[in-house]
Amino acid sequence: MLFDTHAHLNDNQFDNDRIEAIERAKENGVECILTVSSDIASSIENIALTQNHDIFYAAVGVHPHNVMDLNNNIISALIDFSTYPKVVAIGEIGLDYFYDNAPREVQKVWFSKQISLAKNLKLPIIVHDREAHEDTMRILKNEKASDVGGVLHCYSGSVEMAKQVMDMGFLISIAGPVTYKNANKLLDVVKYIPDDMLLIETDSPYLPPEPYRGQRNEPSYVKLVAEKIAKIRGTSVEHIANITSSNGKRIFGIQ
Ligand code: NI
């Protein structure tokens, strides 16, 4: 069984074939999809998906691209959303210094505030860190994010950073870029992560694995990520599927 621990199935790129995409995922052995939010509207859409399809669990939160709109009313809304039974995490939250859609100081403030929200709610966090490794680490430490732990999604850091975040109780989630030609640094990380700290994801509709690069990504392709990781680690795809889905269930408290 496969667990796609990070996808955005609310995205309008699925509006024409969402049901078919879910069916294709099931046909490829995907039994669980965590659909992750980036603002209030997507949080509402993702909660609705969990109510309509057994396969979905949801994370609610505000992505660093969207923190300009954040205020305390939005935090109250996230608290309400967290009461839905299949909401299992706060995310995605973090820092994005590649696009810099919001000023970095604003990103940092709302990353910290959403970590403390997650701690109050006792929910793990899903961290987005794009070209912001140093500040991400500093904020995770200062805010004692280890109290709830969670996931560094679409991991792109070093082996050294992976060690430090795993010490804080964070799992390392590997996405489609592991299949790309220039993935050298990521291959070292994939070899290094212990069995009980590894997750896989698609981040669909973004970042499709090879041979679908340039097209829309979807959860059925998480199998390609598992296959590539199995090859790198010299093990079977069944083993990678089993450990990553049991890790995902453990960290997100899914039975
Ligand atoms: Ni994402």
mmCIF file of all heavy atoms in Angstrom, residues 1-5 32 171-174 193-201 222-223 225-227 229-230 233 236-252:
data_model
loop_
_atom_site.group_PDB
_atom_site.id
_atom_site.type_symbol
_atom_site.label_atom_id
_atom_site.label_comp_id
_atom_site.label_asym_id
_atom_site.label_seq_id
_atom_site.Cartn_x
_atom_site.Cartn_y
_atom_site.Cartn_z
ATOM 1 N N MET A 1 0.823 -1.208 0.000
ATOM 2 C CA MET A 1 0.000 0.000 0.000
ATOM 3 C C MET A 1 0.858 1.259 0.000
ATOM 4 O O MET A 1 1.911 1.288 0.614
ATOM 5 C CB MET A 1 -0.943 -0.070 1.210
ATOM 6 C CG MET A 1 -0.650 0.857 2.362
ATOM 7 S SD MET A 1 -1.799 2.231 2.199
ATOM 8 C CE MET A 1 -1.762 3.070 3.707
ATOM 9 N N LEU A 2 0.432 2.275 -0.728
ATOM 10 C CA LEU A 2 1.192 3.522 -0.838
ATOM 11 C C LEU A 2 0.427 4.659 -0.164
ATOM 12 O O LEU A 2 -0.808 4.711 -0.227
ATOM 13 C CB LEU A 2 1.412 3.874 -2.319
ATOM 14 C CG LEU A 2 2.357 2.959 -3.102
ATOM 15 C CD1 LEU A 2 2.064 3.040 -4.600
ATOM 16 C CD2 LEU A 2 3.822 3.331 -2.842
ATOM 17 N N PHE A 3 1.171 5.556 0.467
ATOM 18 C CA PHE A 3 0.594 6.740 1.108
ATOM 19 C C PHE A 3 1.262 7.957 0.483
ATOM 20 O O PHE A 3 2.456 8.181 0.691
ATOM 21 C CB PHE A 3 0.856 6.661 2.622
ATOM 22 C CG PHE A 3 0.223 7.755 3.459
ATOM 23 C CD1 PHE A 3 0.258 7.667 4.845
ATOM 24 C CD2 PHE A 3 -0.406 8.864 2.894
ATOM 25 C CE1 PHE A 3 -0.311 8.656 5.651
ATOM 26 C CE2 PHE A 3 -0.981 9.862 3.684
ATOM 27 C CZ PHE A 3 -0.918 9.757 5.064
ATOM 28 N N ASP A 4 0.496 8.724 -0.291
ATOM 29 C CA ASP A 4 0.984 9.993 -0.844
ATOM 30 C C ASP A 4 0.759 11.045 0.240
ATOM 31 O O ASP A 4 -0.357 11.517 0.432
ATOM 32 C CB ASP A 4 0.221 10.339 -2.124
ATOM 33 C CG ASP A 4 0.706 11.642 -2.759
ATOM 34 O OD1 ASP A 4 1.604 12.295 -2.178
ATOM 35 O OD2 ASP A 4 0.175 12.001 -3.830
ATOM 36 N N THR A 5 1.851 11.412 0.947
ATOM 37 C CA THR A 5 1.692 12.259 2.139
ATOM 38 C C THR A 5 1.640 13.750 1.835
ATOM 39 O O THR A 5 1.599 14.559 2.772
ATOM 40 C CB THR A 5 2.821 12.013 3.171
ATOM 41 O OG1 THR A 5 4.085 12.317 2.555
ATOM 42 C CG2 THR A 5 2.804 10.592 3.683
ATOM 43 N N CYS A 32 -4.000 5.954 0.629
ATOM 44 C CA CYS A 32 -4.133 7.117 1.496
ATOM 45 C C CYS A 32 -3.484 8.321 0.817
ATOM 46 O O CYS A 32 -2.381 8.195 0.262
ATOM 47 C CB CYS A 32 -3.390 6.795 2.794
ATOM 48 S SG CYS A 32 -4.159 7.393 4.261
ATOM 49 N N LEU A 171 10.115 13.934 10.103
ATOM 50 C CA LEU A 171 10.374 12.966 9.057
ATOM 51 C C LEU A 171 10.763 13.696 7.778
ATOM 52 O O LEU A 171 10.480 14.892 7.618
ATOM 53 C CB LEU A 171 9.139 12.083 8.821
ATOM 54 C CG LEU A 171 9.001 10.936 9.835
ATOM 55 C CD1 LEU A 171 8.631 11.462 11.201
ATOM 56 C CD2 LEU A 171 7.974 9.915 9.371
ATOM 57 N N ILE A 172 11.416 12.965 6.885
ATOM 58 C CA ILE A 172 11.913 13.537 5.631
ATOM 59 C C ILE A 172 11.068 12.969 4.497
ATOM 60 O O ILE A 172 11.010 11.754 4.307
ATOM 61 C CB ILE A 172 13.395 13.148 5.423
ATOM 62 C CG1 ILE A 172 14.261 13.592 6.619
ATOM 63 C CG2 ILE A 172 13.914 13.702 4.107
ATOM 64 C CD1 ILE A 172 14.384 15.076 6.814
ATOM 65 N N SER A 173 10.407 13.872 3.759
ATOM 66 C CA SER A 173 9.539 13.413 2.678
ATOM 67 C C SER A 173 10.172 13.697 1.323
ATOM 68 O O SER A 173 10.601 14.814 1.045
ATOM 69 C CB SER A 173 8.172 14.093 2.775
ATOM 70 O OG SER A 173 7.327 13.588 1.768
ATOM 71 N N ILE A 174 10.224 12.651 0.515
ATOM 72 C CA ILE A 174 10.892 12.717 -0.785
ATOM 73 C C ILE A 174 9.828 12.763 -1.886
ATOM 74 O O ILE A 174 8.880 11.971 -1.881
ATOM 75 C CB ILE A 174 11.805 11.488 -0.974
ATOM 76 C CG1 ILE A 174 12.842 11.394 0.159
ATOM 77 C CG2 ILE A 174 12.484 11.518 -2.344
ATOM 78 C CD1 ILE A 174 13.853 12.511 0.220
ATOM 79 N N ILE A 193 18.603 8.292 5.086
ATOM 80 C CA ILE A 193 17.434 8.338 5.996
ATOM 81 C C ILE A 193 17.108 6.933 6.527
ATOM 82 O O ILE A 193 16.927 6.007 5.746
ATOM 83 C CB ILE A 193 16.174 8.874 5.261
ATOM 84 C CG1 ILE A 193 16.453 10.224 4.595
ATOM 85 C CG2 ILE A 193 14.980 8.989 6.221
ATOM 86 C CD1 ILE A 193 16.840 11.313 5.515
ATOM 87 N N PRO A 194 16.985 6.774 7.852
ATOM 88 C CA PRO A 194 16.595 5.460 8.392
ATOM 89 C C PRO A 194 15.168 5.090 7.968
ATOM 90 O O PRO A 194 14.348 5.972 7.696
ATOM 91 C CB PRO A 194 16.660 5.647 9.908
ATOM 92 C CG PRO A 194 17.285 6.959 10.161
ATOM 93 C CD PRO A 194 17.228 7.760 8.914
ATOM 94 N N ASP A 195 14.905 3.794 7.941
ATOM 95 C CA ASP A 195 13.589 3.294 7.508
ATOM 96 C C ASP A 195 12.416 3.978 8.212
ATOM 97 O O ASP A 195 11.385 4.214 7.608
ATOM 98 C CB ASP A 195 13.481 1.781 7.794
ATOM 99 C CG ASP A 195 13.957 0.940 6.607
ATOM 100 O OD1 ASP A 195 14.488 1.526 5.637
ATOM 101 O OD2 ASP A 195 13.799 -0.292 6.677
ATOM 102 N N ASP A 196 12.592 4.284 9.500
ATOM 103 C CA ASP A 196 11.434 4.784 10.254
ATOM 104 C C ASP A 196 11.248 6.300 10.160
ATOM 105 O O ASP A 196 10.388 6.858 10.834
ATOM 106 C CB ASP A 196 11.517 4.348 11.721
ATOM 107 C CG ASP A 196 12.736 4.901 12.424
ATOM 108 O OD1 ASP A 196 13.678 5.366 11.737
ATOM 109 O OD2 ASP A 196 12.763 4.889 13.666
ATOM 110 N N MET A 197 12.060 6.992 9.319
ATOM 111 C CA MET A 197 11.940 8.448 9.202
ATOM 112 C C MET A 197 11.624 8.904 7.769
ATOM 113 O O MET A 197 11.637 10.092 7.473
ATOM 114 C CB MET A 197 13.242 9.125 9.668
ATOM 115 C CG MET A 197 13.620 8.839 11.102
ATOM 116 S SD MET A 197 12.329 9.291 12.298
ATOM 117 C CE MET A 197 12.680 11.044 12.535
ATOM 118 N N LEU A 198 11.325 7.965 6.889
ATOM 119 C CA LEU A 198 11.164 8.280 5.465
ATOM 120 C C LEU A 198 9.687 8.333 5.074
ATOM 121 O O LEU A 198 8.895 7.469 5.457
ATOM 122 C CB LEU A 198 11.878 7.184 4.658
ATOM 123 C CG LEU A 198 11.872 7.301 3.145
ATOM 124 C CD1 LEU A 198 12.735 8.475 2.674
ATOM 125 C CD2 LEU A 198 12.400 6.003 2.514
ATOM 126 N N LEU A 199 9.337 9.368 4.286
ATOM 127 C CA LEU A 199 8.000 9.466 3.691
ATOM 128 C C LEU A 199 8.151 9.731 2.200
ATOM 129 O O LEU A 199 9.203 10.187 1.742
ATOM 130 C CB LEU A 199 7.208 10.636 4.300
ATOM 131 C CG LEU A 199 6.856 10.589 5.787
ATOM 132 C CD1 LEU A 199 6.167 11.898 6.176
ATOM 133 C CD2 LEU A 199 5.963 9.402 6.095
ATOM 134 N N ILE A 200 7.077 9.451 1.447
ATOM 135 C CA ILE A 200 7.053 9.785 0.026
ATOM 136 C C ILE A 200 5.804 10.607 -0.281
ATOM 137 O O ILE A 200 4.803 10.539 0.437
ATOM 138 C CB ILE A 200 7.104 8.528 -0.879
ATOM 139 C CG1 ILE A 200 6.000 7.536 -0.505
ATOM 140 C CG2 ILE A 200 8.478 7.880 -0.786
ATOM 141 C CD1 ILE A 200 5.921 6.327 -1.435
ATOM 142 N N GLU A 201 5.903 11.374 -1.362
ATOM 143 C CA GLU A 201 4.807 12.284 -1.731
ATOM 144 C C GLU A 201 4.905 12.607 -3.216
ATOM 145 O O GLU A 201 5.942 12.367 -3.845
ATOM 146 C CB GLU A 201 4.938 13.587 -0.941
ATOM 147 C CG GLU A 201 6.214 14.352 -1.285
ATOM 148 C CD GLU A 201 6.263 15.756 -0.691
ATOM 149 O OE1 GLU A 201 5.633 16.658 -1.278
ATOM 150 O OE2 GLU A 201 6.928 15.937 0.339
ATOM 151 N N VAL A 222 3.032 8.511 -7.316
ATOM 152 C CA VAL A 222 3.857 8.323 -6.123
ATOM 153 C C VAL A 222 4.586 6.978 -6.197
ATOM 154 O O VAL A 222 5.658 6.787 -5.612
ATOM 155 C CB VAL A 222 3.008 8.446 -4.826
ATOM 156 C CG1 VAL A 222 2.168 7.210 -4.548
ATOM 157 C CG2 VAL A 222 3.893 8.771 -3.631
ATOM 158 N N LYS A 223 4.001 6.060 -6.955
ATOM 159 C CA LYS A 223 4.636 4.761 -7.185
ATOM 160 C C LYS A 223 6.017 4.921 -7.837
ATOM 161 O O LYS A 223 6.951 4.184 -7.518
ATOM 162 C CB LYS A 223 3.723 3.944 -8.102
ATOM 163 C CG LYS A 223 4.027 2.479 -8.146
ATOM 164 C CD LYS A 223 3.020 1.778 -9.025
ATOM 165 C CE LYS A 223 3.331 0.310 -9.180
ATOM 166 N NZ LYS A 223 2.350 -0.322 -10.088
ATOM 167 N N VAL A 225 8.041 7.446 -7.470
ATOM 168 C CA VAL A 225 8.953 7.937 -6.432
ATOM 169 C C VAL A 225 9.420 6.751 -5.577
ATOM 170 O O VAL A 225 10.612 6.602 -5.290
ATOM 171 C CB VAL A 225 8.258 9.017 -5.561
ATOM 172 C CG1 VAL A 225 9.162 9.455 -4.408
ATOM 173 C CG2 VAL A 225 7.859 10.222 -6.417
ATOM 174 N N ALA A 226 8.467 5.886 -5.206
ATOM 175 C CA ALA A 226 8.812 4.697 -4.403
ATOM 176 C C ALA A 226 9.782 3.797 -5.162
ATOM 177 O O ALA A 226 10.747 3.276 -4.587
ATOM 178 C CB ALA A 226 7.545 3.927 -4.038
ATOM 179 N N GLU A 227 9.540 3.617 -6.462
ATOM 180 C CA GLU A 227 10.422 2.751 -7.269
ATOM 181 C C GLU A 227 11.836 3.299 -7.322
ATOM 182 O O GLU A 227 12.815 2.554 -7.193
ATOM 183 C CB GLU A 227 9.850 2.610 -8.691
ATOM 184 C CG GLU A 227 8.662 1.665 -8.749
ATOM 185 C CD GLU A 227 7.935 1.683 -10.091
ATOM 186 O OE1 GLU A 227 8.335 2.446 -10.997
ATOM 187 O OE2 GLU A 227 6.935 0.939 -10.210
ATOM 188 N N ILE A 229 13.302 5.328 -5.156
ATOM 189 C CA ILE A 229 13.918 5.217 -3.826
ATOM 190 C C ILE A 229 14.359 3.774 -3.565
ATOM 191 O O ILE A 229 15.449 3.532 -3.032
ATOM 192 C CB ILE A 229 12.949 5.715 -2.736
ATOM 193 C CG1 ILE A 229 12.743 7.226 -2.867
ATOM 194 C CG2 ILE A 229 13.455 5.359 -1.338
ATOM 195 C CD1 ILE A 229 11.696 7.804 -1.934
ATOM 196 N N ALA A 230 13.527 2.812 -3.969
ATOM 197 C CA ALA A 230 13.875 1.398 -3.780
ATOM 198 C C ALA A 230 15.174 1.079 -4.521
ATOM 199 O O ALA A 230 16.055 0.386 -3.992
ATOM 200 C CB ALA A 230 12.734 0.506 -4.266
ATOM 201 N N ARG A 233 18.168 2.636 -2.688
ATOM 202 C CA ARG A 233 18.465 1.986 -1.413
ATOM 203 C C ARG A 233 18.694 0.485 -1.564
ATOM 204 O O ARG A 233 18.956 -0.201 -0.568
ATOM 205 C CB ARG A 233 17.331 2.251 -0.411
ATOM 206 C CG ARG A 233 17.298 3.703 0.049
ATOM 207 C CD ARG A 233 16.010 4.065 0.731
ATOM 208 N NE ARG A 233 15.818 3.534 2.052
ATOM 209 C CZ ARG A 233 15.983 4.198 3.192
ATOM 210 N NH1 ARG A 233 16.381 5.449 3.154
ATOM 211 N NH2 ARG A 233 15.737 3.624 4.348
ATOM 212 N N SER A 236 13.253 -3.496 -2.121
ATOM 213 C CA SER A 236 12.090 -3.680 -2.983
ATOM 214 C C SER A 236 11.129 -2.499 -2.847
ATOM 215 O O SER A 236 11.096 -1.809 -1.817
ATOM 216 C CB SER A 236 11.344 -4.957 -2.587
ATOM 217 O OG SER A 236 10.756 -4.789 -1.322
ATOM 218 N N VAL A 237 10.354 -2.282 -3.891
ATOM 219 C CA VAL A 237 9.364 -1.209 -3.848
ATOM 220 C C VAL A 237 8.298 -1.518 -2.798
ATOM 221 O O VAL A 237 7.787 -0.603 -2.136
ATOM 222 C CB VAL A 237 8.786 -0.948 -5.264
ATOM 223 C CG1 VAL A 237 8.008 -2.119 -5.766
ATOM 224 C CG2 VAL A 237 7.921 0.306 -5.270
ATOM 225 N N GLU A 238 8.017 -2.809 -2.571
ATOM 226 C CA GLU A 238 7.039 -3.181 -1.525
ATOM 227 C C GLU A 238 7.534 -2.715 -0.148
ATOM 228 O O GLU A 238 6.755 -2.221 0.659
ATOM 229 C CB GLU A 238 6.821 -4.702 -1.482
ATOM 230 C CG GLU A 238 6.086 -5.290 -2.670
ATOM 231 C CD GLU A 238 6.948 -5.372 -3.927
ATOM 232 O OE1 GLU A 238 8.209 -5.378 -3.815
ATOM 233 O OE2 GLU A 238 6.369 -5.403 -5.030
ATOM 234 N N HIS A 239 8.835 -2.910 0.088
ATOM 235 C CA HIS A 239 9.388 -2.493 1.380
ATOM 236 C C HIS A 239 9.251 -0.981 1.556
ATOM 237 O O HIS A 239 8.818 -0.499 2.612
ATOM 238 C CB HIS A 239 10.861 -2.922 1.482
ATOM 239 C CG HIS A 239 11.526 -2.487 2.748
ATOM 240 N ND1 HIS A 239 11.191 -3.004 3.983
ATOM 241 C CD2 HIS A 239 12.482 -1.549 2.979
ATOM 242 C CE1 HIS A 239 11.937 -2.415 4.907
ATOM 243 N NE2 HIS A 239 12.721 -1.529 4.334
ATOM 244 N N ILE A 240 9.609 -0.217 0.520
ATOM 245 C CA ILE A 240 9.494 1.249 0.606
ATOM 246 C C ILE A 240 8.033 1.652 0.804
ATOM 247 O O ILE A 240 7.721 2.528 1.622
ATOM 248 C CB ILE A 240 10.102 1.918 -0.657
ATOM 249 C CG1 ILE A 240 11.609 1.630 -0.745
ATOM 250 C CG2 ILE A 240 9.834 3.427 -0.663
ATOM 251 C CD1 ILE A 240 12.430 2.123 0.438
ATOM 252 N N ALA A 241 7.128 0.997 0.076
ATOM 253 C CA ALA A 241 5.703 1.301 0.234
ATOM 254 C C ALA A 241 5.257 1.035 1.667
ATOM 255 O O ALA A 241 4.579 1.859 2.289
ATOM 256 C CB ALA A 241 4.882 0.466 -0.753
ATOM 257 N N ASN A 242 5.668 -0.108 2.219
ATOM 258 C CA ASN A 242 5.240 -0.472 3.574
ATOM 259 C C ASN A 242 5.779 0.469 4.643
ATOM 260 O O ASN A 242 5.021 0.939 5.497
ATOM 261 C CB ASN A 242 5.681 -1.906 3.913
ATOM 262 C CG ASN A 242 4.869 -2.923 3.137
ATOM 263 O OD1 ASN A 242 3.770 -2.613 2.658
ATOM 264 N ND2 ASN A 242 5.417 -4.117 2.987
ATOM 265 N N ILE A 243 7.091 0.751 4.582
ATOM 266 C CA ILE A 243 7.654 1.599 5.653
ATOM 267 C C ILE A 243 7.114 3.021 5.545
ATOM 268 O O ILE A 243 6.782 3.636 6.563
ATOM 269 C CB ILE A 243 9.207 1.600 5.673
ATOM 270 C CG1 ILE A 243 9.797 2.104 4.370
ATOM 271 C CG2 ILE A 243 9.749 0.223 6.043
ATOM 272 C CD1 ILE A 243 11.299 2.407 4.451
ATOM 273 N N THR A 244 6.988 3.559 4.318
ATOM 274 C CA THR A 244 6.562 4.959 4.205
ATOM 275 C C THR A 244 5.096 5.107 4.595
ATOM 276 O O THR A 244 4.718 6.117 5.193
ATOM 277 C CB THR A 244 6.816 5.526 2.795
ATOM 278 O OG1 THR A 244 6.206 4.677 1.813
ATOM 279 C CG2 THR A 244 8.296 5.652 2.518
ATOM 280 N N SER A 245 4.266 4.108 4.295
ATOM 281 C CA SER A 245 2.875 4.275 4.700
ATOM 282 C C SER A 245 2.719 4.061 6.199
ATOM 283 O O SER A 245 1.947 4.782 6.845
ATOM 284 C CB SER A 245 1.922 3.414 3.877
ATOM 285 O OG SER A 245 2.261 2.093 3.997
ATOM 286 N N SER A 246 3.489 3.156 6.782
ATOM 287 C CA SER A 246 3.331 3.019 8.234
ATOM 288 C C SER A 246 3.914 4.238 8.953
ATOM 289 O O SER A 246 3.354 4.690 9.964
ATOM 290 C CB SER A 246 3.850 1.671 8.745
ATOM 291 O OG SER A 246 5.202 1.740 9.025
ATOM 292 N N ASN A 247 4.990 4.832 8.431
ATOM 293 C CA ASN A 247 5.511 6.076 9.029
ATOM 294 C C ASN A 247 4.493 7.209 8.926
ATOM 295 O O ASN A 247 4.307 7.987 9.865
ATOM 296 C CB ASN A 247 6.794 6.519 8.317
ATOM 297 C CG ASN A 247 7.963 5.574 8.551
ATOM 298 O OD1 ASN A 247 7.949 4.785 9.498
ATOM 299 N ND2 ASN A 247 8.958 5.642 7.687
ATOM 300 N N GLY A 248 3.852 7.320 7.764
ATOM 301 C CA GLY A 248 2.858 8.379 7.561
ATOM 302 C C GLY A 248 1.701 8.240 8.525
ATOM 303 O O GLY A 248 1.241 9.222 9.123
ATOM 304 N N LYS A 249 1.246 7.009 8.704
ATOM 305 C CA LYS A 249 0.127 6.790 9.631
ATOM 306 C C LYS A 249 0.527 7.115 11.064
ATOM 307 O O LYS A 249 -0.256 7.667 11.822
ATOM 308 C CB LYS A 249 -0.367 5.350 9.518
ATOM 309 C CG LYS A 249 -1.116 5.102 8.224
ATOM 310 C CD LYS A 249 -1.584 3.666 8.131
ATOM 311 C CE LYS A 249 -2.472 3.481 6.917
ATOM 312 N NZ LYS A 249 -2.892 2.088 6.782
ATOM 313 N N ARG A 250 1.753 6.767 11.401
ATOM 314 C CA ARG A 250 2.230 7.041 12.770
ATOM 315 C C ARG A 250 2.286 8.554 13.030
ATOM 316 O O ARG A 250 1.726 9.040 14.006
ATOM 317 C CB ARG A 250 3.608 6.405 12.959
ATOM 318 C CG ARG A 250 4.169 6.537 14.371
ATOM 319 C CD ARG A 250 5.572 5.948 14.463
ATOM 320 N NE ARG A 250 6.580 6.832 13.918
ATOM 321 C CZ ARG A 250 7.390 6.544 12.884
ATOM 322 N NH1 ARG A 250 7.328 5.380 12.275
ATOM 323 N NH2 ARG A 250 8.287 7.431 12.466
ATOM 324 N N ILE A 251 2.956 9.292 12.124
ATOM 325 C CA ILE A 251 3.158 10.726 12.405
ATOM 326 C C ILE A 251 1.841 11.494 12.357
ATOM 327 O O ILE A 251 1.647 12.459 13.100
ATOM 328 C CB ILE A 251 4.232 11.336 11.461
ATOM 329 C CG1 ILE A 251 4.569 12.781 11.857
ATOM 330 C CG2 ILE A 251 3.836 11.314 10.012
ATOM 331 C CD1 ILE A 251 5.529 12.903 12.989
ATOM 332 N N PHE A 252 0.896 11.065 11.498
ATOM 333 C CA PHE A 252 -0.366 11.783 11.379
ATOM 334 C C PHE A 252 -1.493 11.150 12.218
ATOM 335 O O PHE A 252 -2.646 11.577 12.132
ATOM 336 C CB PHE A 252 -0.800 11.887 9.918
ATOM 337 C CG PHE A 252 0.167 12.679 9.075
ATOM 338 C CD1 PHE A 252 0.830 12.099 8.001
ATOM 339 C CD2 PHE A 252 0.432 14.008 9.384
ATOM 340 C CE1 PHE A 252 1.736 12.828 7.239
ATOM 341 C CE2 PHE A 252 1.336 14.749 8.637
ATOM 342 C CZ PHE A 252 1.995 14.153 7.551
#
